[in-house]
Amino acid sequence: MLYIPQKIKDIIGNRKYIKDSVGMSDSQVILFDDMVLKIQQSNNETVNEAEMLKWLNDILPVPRLIASEIENNTSFILMSKIKGKMLCDNAYTDNPHELLSLLADGLNQLWSIDIKNCPCDNTLSFKLAAARLSVENGLVDIENTEPETFGKDGFSSPLELLEWLEKNRPEEELALTHGDYSLQNIFAEDNGISGFIDLGKAGVADKWQDIAICYRSLKHVFSKHKNSQLNPDMLFEKLGIEKNEEKLKYYILLDELF
């Protein structure tokens, strides 16, 4: 039987729920009609998510934090449910121009926020230190990476990749970033962004962190479609910026260590 702290039980009562099966995180997500309960091992990201939900409550369309508890090294975050559909839904992937416009709009919303009082730092100094801890403790799942990252034509090990990342740090263009700006974490409704979810990696970082993860997500989604209109490079046209191959490569590789 699923264990839930009494404080959260008192809020959800006897509401019916289903378990979410979308996404790749190791969290357990319980969906109610109007709320979501996220259960996972307590770590820096779970603390970060609760902090960012509170800070962004009146700034961006994010879930409203209802309750947050930690028991036996397990984090329980109860939040309001975002309306709309994920951008990985066929309603959007079958309409690439609308999808790309929504993704660009979401990025611009994030970048428009004043980062002066942001409670979470995800700049490269923080991320590379966290990556080193992950590598040194054998926590990198090399089976869940891009096929070209490790092996014959890639890096020989997570440590070699980390050392490359440490030696090739790009100049950062700091902004508020989501941290995992993939299609399943962005919701839309009525031709606009209705919400951002999974904010455990959100905070101040190089804006190319989000662009790179978004670009990778688009490549994965578009590779499954036969529509020749689907080209992830169209994202840069919507954003009105030049494609930066070096930063795309860097931040996609950095994400492989998390």
Side-chain angles (χ1 to χ4, degrees):
M1 181 178 292
L2 181 66
Y3 172 78
I4 298 174
Q6 189 60 47
K7 178 180 176 180
I8 294 179
K9 275 186 179 179
D10 292 341
I11 298 172
I12 62 178
N14 295 318
R15 286 177 172 85
K16 294 181 179 179
Y17 66 85
I18 60 172
K19 293 183 179 181
D20 181 34
S21 59
V22 178
M24 295 178 61
S25 72
D26 58 1
S27 61
Q28 189 169 8
V29 179
I30 308 301
L31 302 177
F32 302 93
D33 286 341
D34 57 349
M35 294 185 291
V36 175
L37 176 60
K38 191 173 182 180
I39 306 170
Q40 62 188 128
Q41 182 177 354
S42 179
N43 53 39
N44 287 338
E45 287 188 15
T46 60
V47 174
N48 191 88
E49 181 160 28
E51 286 295 313
M52 291 302 292
L53 287 175
K54 287 186 284 187
W55 187 66
L56 290 171
N57 182 51
D58 295 318
I59 301 175
L60 285 175
V62 300
R64 178 176 59 86
L65 182 64
I66 299 170
S68 178
E69 293 286 305
I70 297 177
E71 289 191 12
N72 300 319
N73 203 35
T74 300
S75 167
F76 300 83
I77 298 179
L78 183 66
M79 64 196 102
S80 63
K81 190 175 183 180
I82 293 293
K83 295 182 179 179
K85 295 179 179 179
M86 294 177 177
L87 292 189
C88 58
D89 190 275
N90 287 342
Y92 299 110
T93 57
D94 288 344
N95 294 279
H97 291 288
E98 181 183 8
L99 169 63
L100 290 159
S101 293
L102 287 165
L103 285 168
D105 179 51
L107 287 169
N108 283 316
Q109 285 188 44
L110 289 164
W111 300 339
S112 71
I113 304 304
D114 185 352
I115 59 176
K116 181 173 59 178
N117 296 314
C118 181
C120 299
D121 178 2
N122 277 313
T123 54
L124 277 176
S125 293
F126 175 87
K127 292 284 285 187
L128 289 171
R132 179 159 286 281
L133 282 175
S134 182
V135 170
E136 290 177 348
N137 287 281
L139 301 178
V140 178
D141 180 8
I142 62 174
E143 299 301 321
N144 188 27
T145 59
E146 298 297 301
E148 65 274 13
T149 299
F150 297 106
K152 181 181 178 182
D153 298 318
F155 294 93
S156 63
S157 68
L159 179 59
E160 186 184 34
L161 169 55
L162 174 63
E163 291 174 343
W164 183 90
L165 292 166
E166 291 174 336
K167 292 175 183 176
N168 292 276
R169 287 178 59 159
E171 183 177 347
E172 295 176 88
E173 302 169 60
L174 298 182
L176 176 63
T177 61
H178 180 283
D180 188 11
Y181 197 83
S182 47
L183 273 62
Q184 68 266 26
N185 289 333
I186 318 299
F187 282 66
E189 186 178 50
D190 299 329
N191 302 312
I193 297 295
S194 58
F196 303 91
I197 67 166
D198 284 353
L199 296 161
K201 297 179 180 178
V204 177
D206 187 345
K207 68 179 185 179
W208 282 87
Q209 159 76 33
D210 277 354
I211 298 172
I213 300 305
C214 182
Y215 184 74
R216 183 183 66 186
S217 185
L218 284 170
K219 286 179 69 176
H220 288 172
V221 170
F222 288 0
S223 69
K224 300 174 184 177
H225 287 255
K226 297 179 180 179
N227 189 334
S228 60
Q229 297 182 61
L230 303 178
N231 182 348
D233 284 359
M234 295 161 63
L235 175 65
F236 305 104
E237 298 172 23
K238 295 291 185 181
L239 288 171
I241 62 176
E242 293 291 325
K243 183 180 181 182
N244 188 323
E245 295 277 9
E246 290 184 1
K247 281 201 168 185
L248 289 175
K249 174 184 176 181
Y250 186 91
Y251 283 106
I252 289 172
L253 287 172
L254 176 62
D255 195 62
E256 300 284 49
L257 299 179
F258 292 91

